[in-house]
Amino acid sequence: MPDQPGARTGRPAELPLLPAGHNTARSALTCRYRCGDACSHDAPNRSLNPYFGDIVQRALTRRGVLKGSAVIALAVGGSTLAASPAVAAPTAGRRPSRGLDFEPVAPNTADAVTIPAGYAQQVVIRWGDPVLAGAPRFDARKQSAWAQARQFGYNADYMALLDLPRRRDHQLLVVNHEYTNEEIMFYGYVPATPTREQVETAWAAHGLTVLVVRADRRSGRLWPVTSDALNRRITATTPIRLTGPAAGSDLLKTHADPAGRTVLGTLNNCGGGITPWGTVLTGEENFNQYFANAAAVTDPAARARLARYGLPTGASGRKWERFDDRFDIAKEPNEPNRFGWVVEIDPHDPTSTPRKRTALGRFKHEAAEPRLTRDGRVTLYMGDDERFDYLYKYISKEKYRKGGSRAAREHNMDLLDEGTLYVAKFTGDSPAEEIDGTGKLPEDGAFDGAGEWIPLATGNVSHVPGMSADEVYVFTRLAADKVGATKMDRPEDVEPHPHTGRVYVALTNNSDRGATGKTGPDEANPRKGNKHGHVLELEERRGDAAAQFFSWRLMLVCGDPEDPSTYFAGFDKDRVSPISCPDNLTFDPHGNLWIATDGNALGSNDGLFAVPVKGSGRGHVQQFLTVPKGAETCGPIITEDRILVAAQHPGETDGATAENPGSRWPDGAERVPRPAVVTVWKENRR
């Protein structure tokens, strides 16, 4: 096991400083290829939505005899989630929370997946490994689009593991491939002049992989079943249907698709979810970076729409527009509108056509995890991963039908095409002067409050003045601006608790919060220059996912535990692991929350953390693993038998190239780094 510098839960010893002038903990190389340098530009949201401090101050002025919290409660129908109680530090020798019996890994910068003592690991599959019949063995110096379309794609992100009831010890692994980094993929790559083969290989490295895996009963190992009939690659050129209320809209029509109903490919697939009927949802996130030449559009309204989604005014970073006109906005102004959706995949049918569900709105989708309402309708919670953007939910019109009959399945496959799309508005319960941007808790001892889901559209009916239903779905960000939604600090993964129904939201960071000319702190986003992020806990009124009103509190305010601005649900901060930039979320079978980080701003490699959400251990964050140099922790799956993570973009460090790699993981020697899926299990299991 690699050395683990620093104390067990303390700060790492002698870790490198962040580059001067770089406003994120990610490398500049990551920023360039993952999101098109989003953080180096102004956030696209320039709306003037009021924030809570203004609202509560007006309320106090009007009703001086009432507390602001009472005014807010009356305004939004009350709050059901009590403020977080202070939690006493566990006494020495107390048993760990169920499912969390491991010795935390210390912060480190090792070029390895570092795991706790008593655990073992295995690389399940890596970029370029064969998936389909006829796929060649990976050779970094002999890549081709034909081969890549049959091999495991690049930069795995969200993962889903589905049962195969008739095949003992076999499961279906579905994996997103978020983006490519051509500089560390290809020998001899010149960013200004990519070759057609390099570009088409990158197209094939995007999308998803559906892969049958076989489990080893004696360990947590998983073995890919290459060439299985269920295996599939979905890429940037796979035909995908547009469905739902905006399908066929004039806003989605192009020269190649005058009907506005068929898109080639899916791009920048990040978070996702599994539906009750066994399909997989995948969100298209930073799609804007693949397009070029928005400056060629002269219509003011169209230009404003493109700007709100961050479309580049000049050439794209990857130069794809040179090889396919659909990436050139000057030639195909509607093509960007066909990305930024949630895509539904049926992994059990390799001949099925994926569907982009327009009823779920268009933005930088990070997650789409379902939950049922009390009366059986489907609710999806979704984050828009951008500084100062919003949290959404969708509720289907029809109810979910149980059972595996063909009729039930056909009915359920249409549930995401008709319903109501909402956006969240948060209010706090503390006076404005108590939210000063330092992260100091207000006098009531918690960042908490109430909120409301504001309807945007139902079917073909818009609830936003001045916008048609088609416009609401295609330009959802603009619709949310109009109704005064709350600007959040990059809402990424959103996960309902499998037992309680409470919803957990990862707010990754926002270095612009409170900067000159930018939106200041509010109780839901309480720190200026928020570089470490926080985790929000939301409870629907009466516990029903169909509710219009909710209560909320911040469970974690992340960072170095020695920083006074951090908060761990009241747990003793001397006993927690440092955590920065929460991204992906999931739950284990015992109901513990697991958090994968992206862009750790504390100088350590990114990692996977576990934290109980109830009981005396609530807030006790413990680090389970770290990923290699330059990598991000993605797609965690936690079962009784194993823990799966995707180590995305290992070696993505400044100055790295294929010739000069920033990591040698996972193959070592003189080989290029390869993003991979890893399984971890406890040794000597009984």
Side-chain angles (χ1 to χ4, degrees):
M1 182 175 293
D3 292 338
Q4 297 176 16
R8 178 170 65 82
T9 58
R11 285 180 286 186
E14 299 186 16
L15 296 179
L17 298 175
L18 299 177
H22 194 49
N23 67 349
T24 173
R26 293 174 178 166
S27 72
L29 193 64
T30 299
C31 291
R32 187 180 316 140
Y33 283 96
R34 183 179 183 186
C35 59
D37 284 321
C39 289
S40 66
H41 304 95
D42 285 339
N45 190 352
R46 301 176 188 177
S47 62
L48 300 176
N49 301 349
Y51 59 95
F52 169 72
D54 294 335
I55 296 170
V56 100
Q57 189 59 50
R58 290 197 296 268
L60 290 169
T61 301
R62 288 198 312 271
R63 307 186 182 205
V65 296
L66 295 175
K67 291 184 178 180
S69 59
V71 175
I72 296 301
L74 289 171
V76 301
S79 173
T80 63
L81 188 59
S84 301
V87 179
T91 57
R94 176 170 289 182
R95 295 179 63 185
S97 299
R98 193 178 178 199
L100 302 182
D101 184 13
F102 62 87
E103 188 75 6
V105 166
N108 66 83
T109 57
D111 192 23
V113 174
T114 304
I115 59 177
Y119 283 78
Q121 63 175 294
Q122 170 220 7
V123 171
V124 178
I125 190 166
R126 52 176 69 72
W127 164 50
D129 284 347
V131 171
L132 304 183
R137 293 186 63 181
F138 178 73
D139 185 337
R141 295 184 181 275
K142 295 181 180 179
Q143 297 185 60
S144 70
W146 181 90
Q148 179 63 85
R150 291 156 178 80
Q151 297 166 331
F152 193 68
Y154 200 77
N155 272 348
D157 199 290
Y158 173 78
M159 300 188 295
L161 197 59
L162 307 174
D163 290 334
L164 288 172
R166 296 181 180 86
R167 298 178 62 175
R168 188 178 182 186
D169 299 331
H170 287 71
Q171 292 178 293
L172 265 180
L173 179 64
V174 183
V175 183
N176 284 355
H177 300 297
E178 185 177 3
Y179 71 97
T180 49
N181 188 322
E182 286 78 350
E183 289 190 51
I184 59 178
M185 288 174 66
F186 301 119
Y187 286 97
Y189 183 77
V190 180
T193 56
T195 68
R196 175 171 287 278
E197 189 69 66
Q198 289 169 337
V199 168
E200 293 186 353
T201 300
W203 292 347
H206 279 74
L208 296 93
T209 291
V210 179
L211 176 71
V212 174
V213 292
R214 176 176 56 83
D216 181 349
R217 295 187 208 171
R218 295 171 296 178
S219 72
R221 294 180 183 273
L222 289 174
W223 303 104
V225 183
T226 304
S227 304
D228 192 279
L230 290 177
N231 289 2
R232 185 179 189 183
R233 280 299 324 282
I234 294 168
T235 74
T237 58
T238 301
I240 299 178
R241 284 178 55 199
L242 286 160
T243 68
S249 166
D250 288 345
L251 298 170
L252 299 176
K253 295 177 180 178
T254 65
H255 289 97
D257 177 31
R261 293 183 179 273
T262 302
V263 180
L264 291 183
T266 181
L267 295 171
N268 214 267
N269 298 81
C270 201
I274 302 172
T275 68
W277 51 95
T279 60
V280 172
L281 305 177
T282 170
E284 297 181 313
E285 193 183 25
N286 294 299
F287 65 90
N288 56 306
Q289 63 174 308
Y290 300 97
F291 295 89
N293 300 327
V297 175
T298 57
D299 176 72
R303 292 190 69 153
R305 291 166 171 171
L306 291 168
R308 185 63 181 85
Y309 282 83
L311 274 299
T313 55
S316 72
R318 291 177 176 81
K319 310 296 187 294
W320 287 4
E321 65 274 15
R322 298 179 183 176
F323 303 94
D324 191 331
D325 286 350
R326 67 188 177 116
F327 296 107
D328 188 339
I329 298 171
K331 298 176 180 177
E332 289 290 359
N334 281 347
E335 188 69 28
N337 299 345
R338 293 146 66 87
F339 293 85
W341 304 99
V342 169
V343 185
E344 185 171 8
I345 311 292
D346 183 357
H348 297 277
D349 181 2
T351 67
S352 61
T353 301
R355 305 179 186 186
K356 296 195 179 189
R357 301 295 194 180
T358 64
L360 306 183
R362 174 176 163 267
F363 42 89
K364 289 187 178 181
H365 279 278
E366 172 68 26
E369 194 64 50
R371 178 187 171 206
L372 294 180
T373 64
R374 285 185 178 176
D375 64 1
R377 290 175 292 153
V378 176
T379 299
L380 289 179
Y381 297 93
M382 303 171 287
D384 184 352
D385 184 11
E386 188 88 66
R387 291 164 296 158
F388 301 116
D389 261 295
Y390 308 125
L391 178 68
Y392 298 85
K393 84 171 179 180
Y394 164 89
I395 303 176
S396 67
K397 176 182 177 182
E398 301 295 334
K399 299 178 182 179
Y400 164 67
R401 290 184 187 174
K402 296 181 180 179
S405 70
R406 181 175 178 178
R409 187 165 180 78
E410 288 179 353
H411 169 83
N412 293 333
M413 288 293 288
D414 290 333
L415 290 177
L416 303 184
D417 279 340
E418 186 173 6
T420 301
L421 180 64
Y422 300 85
V423 68
K425 186 170 186 176
F426 292 82
T427 53
D429 62 2
S430 301
E433 61 268 18
E434 293 185 13
I435 310 301
D436 60 7
T438 66
K440 179 182 177 182
L441 289 172
E443 288 187 9
D444 66 2
F447 296 116
D448 61 351
E452 177 182 5
W453 294 109
I454 304 172
L456 299 176
T458 302
N460 293 316
V461 177
S462 168
H463 303 301
V464 181
M467 295 185 74
S468 67
D470 283 2
E471 290 171 331
V472 169
Y473 294 119
V474 179
F475 307 116
T476 309
R477 284 181 167 181
L478 290 163
D481 292 344
K482 282 180 173 286
V483 301
T486 300
K487 298 178 179 180
M488 306 298 286
D489 285 353
R490 288 186 57 207
E492 294 217 30
D493 206 355
V494 188
E495 292 283 328
H497 193 286
H499 306 150
T500 68
R502 288 182 177 176
V503 178
Y504 293 79
V505 185
L507 288 306
T508 299
N509 55 43
N510 184 354
S511 57
D512 280 354
R513 175 72 64 175
T516 302
K518 307 292 177 65
T519 300
D522 57 40
E523 197 158 355
N525 307 274
R527 288 189 297 192
K528 295 180 180 177
N530 180 17
K531 62 182 179 180
H532 297 300
H534 49 281
V535 176
L536 182 146
E537 184 179 51
L538 179 154
E539 185 170 14
E540 303 278 23
R541 193 175 187 186
R542 300 187 181 92
D544 188 358
Q548 184 176 354
F549 302 108
F550 59 85
S551 54
W552 64 269
R553 62 184 168 204
L554 298 191
M555 180 180 165
L556 303 177
V557 181
C558 300
D560 186 335
E562 295 184 15
D563 181 345
S565 74
T566 58
Y567 175 73
F568 294 81
F571 195 87
D572 181 0
K573 294 203 292 184
D574 289 336
R575 297 175 57 86
V576 302
S577 296
I579 181 172
S580 176
C581 301
D583 186 347
N584 295 152
L585 306 176
T586 193
F587 290 93
D588 65 25
H590 306 289
N592 300 303
L593 178 65
W594 291 69
I595 305 169
T597 65
D598 170 22
N600 189 327
L602 293 171
S604 172
N605 290 352
D606 276 311
L608 179 66
F609 300 75
V611 56
V613 297
K614 64 179 182 179
S616 61
R618 175 177 162 87
H620 186 192
V621 173
Q622 300 176 82
Q623 181 158 313
F624 180 79
L625 61 72
T626 53
V627 291
K629 290 181 180 178
E632 169 193 348
T633 318
C634 292
I637 298 173
I638 318 296
T639 73
E640 292 283 11
D641 299 319
R642 61 184 57 84
I643 291 173
L644 285 167
V645 295
Q648 190 186 95
H649 58 76
E652 199 168 65
T653 58
D654 289 331
T657 62
E659 293 83 0
N660 181 35
S663 168
R664 294 293 186 181
W665 186 86
D667 297 328
E670 296 301 313
R671 301 180 183 180
V672 296
R674 296 168 69 183
V677 175
V678 177
T679 178
V680 180
W681 66 93
K682 194 168 187 177
E683 296 180 301
N684 302 318
R685 298 184 306 166
R686 292 184 179 180

